[in-house]
Amino acid sequence: MSQFFQIHPENPQVRLIKQAAEVIRKGGVIVYPTDCGYSLGCHLGDKSALDRIRAIRRLDDKHNFTLVCRDLSEISTYARFDNALYRLLKHNTPGPYTFIFNATSEVPRRLLHPKRKTIGIRVPDNKIVQDLLAELGEPIMSSSLILPGETMPMTDPYDIRDTLEHALDLVIDGGYCGMEPTTVVKMDTDDVEILRVGAGDPSQFE
């Protein structure tokens, strides 16, 4: 049976943020809000929690997960990029983008694209997840909340709890936070490539 926290989207309660971070540290799987809808998340280094997310979404071992990071300095621990890409990132984070980078050795191998050794990186513009990341002191391993057989993500925290309460440890209700996916930008080579147009303005990268 999952816990259910109602956290204020603009003034998150510190006590609940600390409790949510502890759930993640102890191997829990959570649902939390971002600037592009609700996501599944767990601790970066926890293989069993990762396997639980795979089971919820019925994903194979080739699915690419995303590291949700607090800021640019945290990104630089897990992704390789030059000064030109740094400037692009600085201008567009936090925001509704997922960036694909060549990964550093800090990224667990099981999270990498099996052939290209790349990793997806996100810095959401959402106060709840920003406070949660600050409390954790490290990224959240994340996946969008699209259930098997569905094409659209789940958007209502109460529906999420009713549907997945036995598969999750915590649902964070941060109010309605949209359902349009991120814009995905590939930055693992000299050429910047837009892989998917979503909520983020793609013109910055064309």
Side-chain angles (χ1 to χ4, degrees), residues 58-119:
R58 295 183 198 160
L59 300 170
D60 62 28
D61 59 5
K62 295 179 176 60
H63 179 79
N64 292 332
F65 286 84
T66 299
L67 293 185
V68 173
C69 297
R70 184 183 180 193
D71 53 27
L72 281 172
S73 63
E74 194 163 78
I75 291 176
S76 65
T77 302
Y78 300 95
R80 303 180 192 279
F81 49 86
D82 59 21
N83 288 336
L85 293 183
Y86 177 88
R87 287 191 292 272
L88 269 177
L89 281 175
K90 188 173 182 180
H91 187 66
N92 292 283
T93 56
Y97 299 94
T98 300
F99 301 102
I100 310 297
F101 290 109
N102 287 315
T104 70
S105 58
E106 294 296 315
V107 179
R109 183 173 296 180
R110 62 182 171 274
L111 303 185
L112 298 176
H113 186 284
K115 293 182 179 177
R116 293 192 292 272
K117 308 304 180 194
T118 54
I119 186 67

Side-chain angles (χ1 to χ4, degrees), residues 27-29 40 42-61 65 110-111 141 167:
V29 173
L40 289 156
C42 68
H43 190 271
L44 171 63
D46 197 308
K47 183 180 183 301
S48 63
L50 173 72
D51 289 341
R52 287 172 60 195
I53 291 177
R54 288 192 197 279
I56 290 168
R57 292 202 52 201
R58 295 183 198 160
L59 300 170
D60 62 28
D61 59 5
F65 286 84
R110 62 182 171 274
L111 303 185
M141 186 168 60

